[in-house]
Each structure stands twice: as C-alpha cells, then as structure tokens.
Amino acid sequence: MTIELLDQLVNDLYAYAVSPINKKHMERAMKQFILSETKEDTIGFAEWFIFNYRTEGDAHRIVDLYKPKDSEADGYQILKQTHRNIYDVRTERDQIILKDIFTGEDFLVSSGVVSGEMLVSARLAFFDESYSVVGDLYELDPAYKDQIKKYIMDQYNQFSNREGITSLVDFLDVYGHLIYKVMDIVIQIDEENAYEDELMLYQATYAYNCSQEALYEMINQLPYVIDPDEDEEPILRIMDDATILAEIEITNEVFYVLCNNESHLSMMMGAIEPLLNPSIVFMKTDTFVLDDLL
C-alpha cells in the first residue's frame, strides 16, 4: 500500500459521491451541513458527505455504499477506518508527531505534514506501521487551540449528559460536521485578522428611520473610500488608502459597523458622529471573541 494509491482512492470516492446515483443523498446532506444564510459554509462538505453523512432509513455512509475494485480492497478498508481531527504538530528526533488536542494521543506521521510547530486538521490513515495524511490538510493558527478544544469538548459533554457515555471518536463520527464548522470559523477569522494580534471583532450598532437610499447618501459623506462588496450586498467596505477600516452591514432599520480592532472602530464612530440626526441614532457597541462567534 502507498499513499499515492490511497489518494487515488479518495479521488474515486469523491467521483462516486457526486455521481447521479447519490443525487438525493447529496441534496439531503447539503440541507444538513450548509446552515448559513449566505450558503458559503461549505468547507469540508464533500469529505463529510463521504465519511460522516448517514443515509435516511438504513444510516449507511457513502463510503460504505462504494464498491471498490479488487485492486482497491486493502486501501478501501484502511480509508473506512479514518477520522478527521485536529492535532498539534511537533518534531522529535527528525520524526513528525501529531498529538490529538482532545485526547492527547500521539500519532507518528510518515507523510503529508511538514515539520514545524503548528496546529492542523487532518485525516490520518494507518498503514506500514505509521500514519499518513489523506485528503485535505488544513493549517490553523495555534492561538485558536484552547477555544477550539473548549467548544468541541463542551458539545461532547452536553451530548454525553443527554445520551449517555459515548467515546469521543464515536461522537465525532456522528457529529463530524462540528470539526468542519469550527475550522470554517477559525479560517475566516484568521483571514480577516491576518494583521491583528487579537482574535476580536468590534461592532457599533446604529438605528435609522430614513430610506436606504438616504442612508447611503449620508454614508457617502464619510471621509474615506467606500466600496460596495459585490459578493455580499448590502455590505460596504470602508477603506483608508490600502487599509480596510471597517465593513458596514445594512439591514432593515439597523446598520452595523464592524472592525477588526478597537482603534478602527473609534475612528469610524468619530467619522459617523457628525452624521447623527433624528434619522440616524447610535445604539450600542459590542465586542465579540471567537467563543461568541462559535
């Protein structure tokens, strides 16, 4: 068995998963997995669909329904036993070790991970006396580890209290979407805060009772470059030279000013203050951390 053969089998599973025979399963799975209004929370969907989704009635996984070729039989049995999880990466005596952040269990990895201190989400396959990464490898900022661990373990403990004692492996097998959802949130926040040290979101809320057209006219008086977000209307991006100061999200009767650091929010509130009138009223400020967004 080689990692190349396993990777090819993963590709074959992907092709099988999206084939017409699984159309109804795919539609049902998307309703379970994709929950945001924007329908953009798709990270890891295909893999979750293959290895974690259960069919209606008989509760089979898509990987269980796949009919492997004779040459794929060994690799198929290996892949069926794999799980996605989140690991600390460390190097010892030129060997790469992945430590499960939830259980503390160590895994000696022979391929698929570069050396260095980092946090990764990976699916590990065991063969030839060691583990290899199959499928996508996601690198996460280690600063998020404690929040990720707290979130997943809280969900696990709530489930165990409700349903009875269950192993963490079995819990994550059934609720595998939690791993992908927490990764999606972390990656988004990491991208938004690429140049920030704190994992915070600062928000000011304003109410308005004029038309949205009148509101846009007043916002356009701000002393900054204002660009509409073509992918997420009605959101306005506020720019100062090459720096994104804020995003303004407009809803019915309320708009939000969202910033990645407190100083930018202060600048925005100062710039908006001269625009305040009976039609635009400041309501409150909020500060969110990763736990709030989870």
Side-chain angles (χ1 to χ4, degrees):
M1 181 55 57
T2 66
I3 188 60
E4 289 77 17
L5 289 175
L6 283 180
D7 283 338
Q8 181 57 54
L9 181 51
V10 170
N11 291 335
D12 292 344
L13 281 168
Y14 273 62
Y16 170 73
V18 300
S19 64
I21 194 173
N22 290 313
K23 181 179 179 181
K24 290 184 178 179
H25 296 317
M26 175 76 76
E27 292 173 348
R28 180 170 177 264
M30 291 181 70
K31 292 178 181 178
Q32 294 180 16
F33 189 91
I34 302 174
L35 304 177
S36 73
E37 293 182 0
T38 62
K39 306 300 181 185
E40 293 180 350
D41 54 329
T42 58
I43 184 172
F45 170 74
E47 184 184 275
W48 172 85
F49 179 51
I50 292 170
F51 292 101
N52 298 101
Y53 167 79
R54 261 55 177 190
T55 59
E56 192 172 15
D58 51 18
H60 287 310
R61 299 182 300 166
I62 298 301
V63 66
D64 297 326
L65 301 177
Y66 180 74
K67 304 299 182 184
K69 306 169 188 173
D70 290 342
S71 60
E72 297 175 329
D74 291 342
Y76 174 68
Q77 293 303 321
I78 290 171
L79 283 182
K80 286 179 64 177
Q81 305 303 315
T82 63
H83 303 276
R84 176 165 291 278
N85 215 327
I86 298 177
Y87 305 93
D88 273 322
V89 182
R90 71 178 190 274
T91 303
E92 293 184 2
R93 300 175 182 175
D94 296 327
Q95 294 182 318
I96 298 174
I97 308 294
L98 267 58
K99 179 182 286 290
D100 186 320
I101 69 169
F102 306 115
T103 67
E105 186 176 0
D106 287 337
F107 300 88
L108 175 64
V109 178
S110 60
S111 66
V113 181
V114 297
S115 61
E117 303 297 320
M118 66 180 75
L119 188 70
V120 299
S121 174
R123 177 173 293 273
L124 300 182
F126 182 75
F127 63 96
D128 291 343
E129 305 302 322
S130 66
Y131 290 86
S132 292
V133 174
V134 292
D136 293 325
L137 177 77
Y138 300 92
E139 293 186 19
L140 307 172
D141 190 327
Y144 297 91
K145 184 178 74 171
D146 289 343
Q147 289 126 320
I148 293 172
K149 184 176 179 179
K150 179 180 182 299
Y151 174 71
I152 294 295
M153 294 307 295
D154 283 349
Q155 298 296 314
Y156 169 60
N157 290 330
Q158 290 177 31
F159 176 83
S160 295
N161 291 335
R162 185 175 66 249
E163 304 293 339
I165 297 175
T166 305
S167 73
L168 184 61
V169 170
D170 289 341
F171 168 75
L172 289 177
D173 184 38
V174 176
Y175 289 88
H177 65 284
L178 294 176
I179 293 289
Y180 302 101
K181 293 306 177 186
V182 76
M183 284 195 312
D184 190 23
I185 292 172
V186 165
I187 290 171
Q188 286 186 38
I189 295 176
D190 198 30
E191 290 174 349
E192 293 170 1
N193 295 287
Y195 302 102
E196 302 298 329
D197 293 328
E198 296 183 350
L199 313 177
M200 310 289 283
L201 180 67
Y202 299 88
Q203 175 179 289
T205 303
Y206 296 83
Y208 68 96
N209 61 8
C210 57
S211 67
Q212 286 196 0
E213 289 77 10
L215 177 63
Y216 279 117
E217 289 180 6
M218 285 184 274
I219 290 175
N220 279 326
Q221 298 176 34
L222 294 173
Y224 301 112
V225 175
I226 301 171
D227 292 326
D229 189 326
E230 297 179 356
D231 296 325
E232 295 188 42
E233 296 182 354
I235 292 179
L236 303 175
R237 184 174 292 113
I238 312 301
M239 306 287 297
D240 183 18
D241 292 329
T243 301
I244 299 176
L245 291 182
E247 288 188 346
I248 297 180
E249 180 179 348
I250 300 172
T251 64
N252 292 331
E253 301 180 347
V254 174
F255 70 90
Y256 305 95
V257 179
L258 303 105
C259 301
N260 287 334
N261 67 60
E262 193 170 11
S263 64
H264 286 176
L265 183 62
S266 296
M267 291 172 61
M268 288 299 302
M269 292 177 66
I272 292 173
E273 187 172 3
L275 306 181
L276 298 181
N277 58 58
S279 297
I280 301 179
V281 179
F282 168 75
M283 295 180 65
K284 62 176 181 175
T285 59
D286 295 288
T287 301
F288 301 101
V289 296
L290 179 62
D291 288 340
D292 297 321
L293 298 175
L294 291 171

